[in-house]
């Protein structure tokens, strides 16, 4: 077994960017995206700077770290509904396929997207129990919401939980 190790702030930030495409949210072009990425990284490393020689088998973050991950601008961009985000792009593709009747089942399409979110965040497919919980969240959101973007709201919650999990934060 490989011992669990907390990622450096730079590696953690890069993993978050790759998983969520947060640096593309609202960016009009590559240069603007890179500038936004640099600004987010400066904020991130200032909060997460730690002793890289310390070993960690769990993520015991500080209060500013927890607040940044729970409701900071970087997490807001990571689970954004805005153009450029992973969620927006994939949900838009699914909605286009639904309109063109290329998708047989809306629920199946969003269930497949849940699998993609797990792959992006934790590099594995969800277990049966995790998939069941996600499906229940999607179903309950769909039945309770009159909003057209019901699935996006539920998927935001799922992706947020994955990006804030210790499985994402720790290098396995």
């Amino acid at each position: 077994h490989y011992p669990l190790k907390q990622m450096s702030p730079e590696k953690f930030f890069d993993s978050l960017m790759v998983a969520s495409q947060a640096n593309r949210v609202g960016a009009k072009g590559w240069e603007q995206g890179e500038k936004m990425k640099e600004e987010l990284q400066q904020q991130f490393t200032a909060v997460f700077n730690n002793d890289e020689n310390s070993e960690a088998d769990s993520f015991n973050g500080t209060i500013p770290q927890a607040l940044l991950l729970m409701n900071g601008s970087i997490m807001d961009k990571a689970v954004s509904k805005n153009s450029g985000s992973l969620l927006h792009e994939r949900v838009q593709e699914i909605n286009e396929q639904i309109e063109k009747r290329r998708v047989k089942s809306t629920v199946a399409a969003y269930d497949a997207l849940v699998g993609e979110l797990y792959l992006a965040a934790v590099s594995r497919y969800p277990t049966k129990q995790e998939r069941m919980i996600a499906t229940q969240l999607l179903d309950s959101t769909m039945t309770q919401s009159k909003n057209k973007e019901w699935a996006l709201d539920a998927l935001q919650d799922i992706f947020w939980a994955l990006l804030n999990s210790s499985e994402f934060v720790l290098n396995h």
Side-chain angles (χ1 to χ4, degrees), residues 114-131 162 165 167-168 172:
V114 168
E116 290 179 36
L117 294 178
Y118 269 82
L119 283 174
V122 293
S123 300
R124 65 173 177 81
Y125 287 104
T127 64
K128 286 180 182 179
Q129 182 179 7
E130 290 166 337
R131 190 172 294 278
L162 288 169
S165 70
E167 190 172 356
F168 182 77
H172 296 266

Side-chain angles (χ1 to χ4, degrees), residues 8-11 13 38-50 68:
S8 69
E10 292 81 10
K11 288 179 183 177
F13 178 81
E38 287 177 20
E39 291 170 4
L40 290 171
Q41 187 170 20
Q42 288 174 354
Q43 175 189 12
F44 195 81
T45 53
V47 172
F48 274 85
N49 206 4
N50 62 359
L68 181 69

Side-chain angles (χ1 to χ4, degrees), residues 150-169:
W150 64 267
L152 197 47
D153 293 338
L155 292 165
Q156 273 186 301
D157 292 343
I158 293 167
F159 201 36
W160 181 91
L162 288 169
L163 294 175
N164 277 288
S165 70
S166 61
E167 190 172 356
F168 182 77
V169 174

Side-chain angles (χ1 to χ4, degrees), residues 34-77:
E34 286 300 305
K35 183 179 179 186
M36 187 185 323
K37 183 178 176 179
E38 287 177 20
E39 291 170 4
L40 290 171
Q41 187 170 20
Q42 288 174 354
Q43 175 189 12
F44 195 81
T45 53
V47 172
F48 274 85
N49 206 4
N50 62 359
D51 182 10
E52 291 187 25
N53 294 327
S54 66
E55 292 293 323
D57 59 0
S58 65
F59 182 65
N60 297 320
T62 64
I63 291 173
Q65 290 171 352
L67 290 174
L68 181 69
L69 288 178
M70 280 192 259
N71 57 10
S73 62
I74 192 165
M75 193 55 67
D76 187 44
K77 289 186 183 300

Side-chain angles (χ1 to χ4, degrees), residues 80-112:
S80 174
K81 296 179 184 182
N82 297 332
S83 180
S85 73
L86 174 72
L87 283 176
H88 179 271
E89 301 303 319
R90 288 297 295 127
V91 168
Q92 187 174 0
E93 287 174 23
I94 289 171
N95 288 338
E96 287 172 7
Q97 290 174 351
I98 290 168
E99 286 176 15
K100 294 177 181 177
R101 294 193 164 93
R102 292 182 184 161
V103 176
K104 294 179 182 178
S105 166
T106 305
V107 175
Y110 286 113
D111 187 51

